[in-house]
């Protein structure tokens, strides 16, 4: 069963667990199989035998992704803008003044934007730039349509 450790008394070496269904179960420290010492508020998993909690341990939790990465010296590394996304934006903007070659330039911008999105998707902890690549896509499509007289 799953529950939450409601209390644990160090002196008596006894604690109380509130199960997910609201039932309360007591346990003794000898039944603790978790990491560290039991403390109020911990999410636990346990079995029930004769109305008491047995084999109590910390409930497994999914590992949270790191918010930042550190280099070998321990300094926090900042995310970098994907060079592909930046190149897509620059090429898409350059397509505005490309005249009759605008559709060709914008196809290059679309490919670069796709590479930028792929770059960010493969290494999200190191790179950002989804918004820049998306903006490049919008500009490229808009300029292509405008140069063809569709818009």
């Amino acid at each position: 069963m799953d529950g939450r450790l409601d209390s644990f008394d160090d002196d008596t070496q006894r604690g109380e667990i509130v199960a997910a269904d609201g039932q309360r179960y007591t346990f003794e420290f000898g039944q603790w199989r978790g990491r560290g010492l039991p403390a109020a508020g911990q999410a636990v998993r346990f079995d029930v035998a004769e109305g008491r909690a047995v084999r109590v341990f910390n409930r497994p939790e999914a590992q949270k992704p790191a918010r930042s990465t550190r280099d070998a010296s321990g300094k926090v590394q900042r995310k970098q803008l994907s060079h592909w996304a930046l190149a897509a934006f620059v090429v898409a903007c350059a397509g505005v003044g490309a005249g009759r070659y605008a559709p060709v330039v914008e196809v290059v911008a679309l490919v670069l934007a796709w590479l930028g999105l792929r770059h960010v998707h493969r290494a999200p902890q190191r790179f950002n730039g989804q918004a820049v690549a998306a903006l490049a896509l919008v500009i490229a499509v808009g300029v292509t349509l405008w140069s063809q007289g569709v818009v």
Side-chain angles (χ1 to χ4, degrees):
M1 296 182 79
D2 288 342
R4 187 157 300 280
L5 198 58
D6 188 45
S7 63
F8 184 77
D9 185 11
D10 289 332
D11 295 332
T12 62
Q13 300 288 299
R14 294 176 190 252
E16 189 173 52
I17 298 170
V18 178
D21 62 1
Q23 291 279 36
R24 292 183 170 273
Y25 299 96
T26 60
F27 76 98
E28 295 180 10
F29 184 68
Q31 294 297 323
W32 179 251
R33 306 285 188 262
R35 295 180 310 275
L37 295 174
Q42 283 180 325
V44 294
R45 188 166 282 169
F46 61 98
D47 293 327
V48 177
E50 299 175 8
R52 302 187 72 152
V54 295
R55 292 182 295 280
V56 182
F57 59 94
N58 307 81
R59 185 170 51 216
E61 294 182 16
Q63 184 174 353
K64 296 177 183 171
R67 293 187 177 214
S68 62
T69 56
R70 297 183 183 272
D71 61 10
S73 64
K75 290 176 57 179
V76 175
Q77 292 179 327
R78 295 186 54 176
K79 284 186 173 185
Q80 297 176 341
L81 180 62
S82 169
H83 55 277
W84 294 109
L86 182 60
F89 180 74
V90 170
V91 170
C93 290
V96 173
R100 69 181 203 190
Y101 298 109
V104 175
V105 173
E106 299 307 338
V107 166
V108 172
L110 290 172
V111 170
L112 290 172
W114 176 77
L115 288 171
L117 290 172
R118 187 169 168 246
H119 196 216
V120 172
H121 178 73
R122 286 190 171 198
Q125 69 280 6
R126 290 184 50 213
F127 298 106
N128 59 15
Q130 285 179 319
V132 175
L135 184 59
L137 287 169
V138 169
I139 292 171
V141 169
V143 169
T144 301
L145 293 174
W146 174 72
S147 69
Q148 297 299 312
V150 177
V151 178

